[in-house]
Amino acid sequence: MGKIYENQTITQGTLLEAGMYGVEYFECTIERCNLFEQQLNNCIFSNCTFKDCDLSMCKLNNTQMNDIRFENCKLMGVDFSRCPGFLFEVNFIDCILDFCSFEKLKMANTSFRKCSMKGVDLVGTQLQNSLFHQVNLEEAIFTNTNLKEANLSTAYNFTISPTQNNIKKAVFSENNLSGLLHEFGISIV
């Protein structure tokens, strides 16, 4: 492993100085960093917060994300499925997650608040007890997704097949039921 940072505020200059391969960050705040298309391979992020960062199209091959909070970040096209599943825990507030992949990840109890998740790949993802608060799920891909007891009451623009996904005890509002009935050709007026 490379350098280790603990209990620090990391800015663009610090990140570039440390390099982006094999670095460990524990209980750090990473602020205002432009990591567009960067390689963050074989890193460890544990109990960290990313604020106002652009991580769009960055590579996370074998990068651990343990209890990570993203606030007001742009993460378009990030393939989180490349992260090891062991201890994988992330939460998002006011983030752009369009075209990200969370395929087959175990993400129970994940919180997505006021996020854009257009075209997100959630195939085989374990999202039981997760919260989708004011989330745009336009063209998000739900197949074999576990949404048991998830709260999608304020989510919108989604199409979720009740026959191809586990939605047992999930919470929806009357306003977004059409996203569940699309495959049946049923219209709600």
Side-chain angles (χ1 to χ4, degrees):
M1 274 293 177
K3 292 184 179 182
I4 298 174
Y5 293 89
E6 190 169 350
N7 295 313
Q8 293 186 36
T9 298
I10 308 295
T11 58
Q12 185 76 22
T14 307
L15 262 177
L16 294 175
E17 176 186 305
M20 311 251 192
Y21 182 88
V23 181
E24 298 182 36
Y25 299 92
F26 296 99
E27 298 180 359
C28 290
T29 300
I30 296 118
E31 293 184 327
R32 296 177 307 280
C33 292
N34 183 357
L35 300 169
F36 180 78
E37 291 187 333
Q38 293 296 316
Q39 305 274 337
L40 295 174
N41 298 326
N42 296 297
C43 292
I44 297 174
F45 293 95
S46 186
N47 299 324
C48 294
T49 300
F50 285 83
K51 290 183 179 180
D52 303 309
C53 294
D54 185 354
L55 292 100
S56 297
M57 303 298 292
C58 75
K59 307 295 183 249
L60 299 174
N61 296 327
N62 202 36
T63 292
Q64 294 180 25
M65 294 273 178
N66 308 331
D67 193 14
I68 306 304
R69 180 180 172 114
F70 293 93
E71 297 177 11
N72 196 37
C73 291
K74 189 175 180 181
L75 299 123
M76 293 179 66
V78 175
D79 187 354
F80 287 97
S81 68
R82 298 284 195 175
C83 296
F86 183 69
L87 298 177
F88 182 82
E89 183 182 345
V90 290
N91 290 286
F92 303 92
I93 299 170
D94 291 316
C95 291
I96 300 172
L97 296 161
D98 298 348
F99 310 107
C100 285
S101 177
F102 297 99
E103 185 177 359
K104 297 181 181 176
L105 282 171
K106 293 180 182 176
M107 300 177 62
N109 304 302
T110 299
S111 178
F112 301 93
R113 295 178 178 273
K114 298 182 180 179
C115 293
S116 177
M117 295 179 70
K118 296 177 185 176
V120 170
D121 181 350
L122 297 167
V123 174
T125 308
Q126 303 295 310
L127 287 161
Q128 58 274 27
N129 297 304
S130 291
L131 173 66
F132 294 84
H133 177 71
Q134 296 180 1
V135 174
N136 184 355
L137 291 163
E138 183 179 340
E139 296 183 16
I141 304 166
F142 292 92
T143 306
N144 297 319
T145 307
N146 185 348
L147 293 164
K148 182 178 179 183
E149 299 181 14
N151 186 336
L152 291 102
S153 61
T154 59
Y156 54 97
N157 293 333
F158 60 82
T159 301
I160 299 172
S161 168
T163 60
Q164 295 181 15
N165 299 283
N166 181 354
I167 61 168
K168 186 175 183 178
K169 296 186 180 181
V171 179
F172 298 91
S173 73
E174 289 180 3
N175 297 332
N176 64 13
L177 286 179
S178 62
L180 293 173
L181 302 173
H182 181 74
E183 76 174 273
F184 303 113
I186 298 172
S187 298
I188 297 175
V189 291

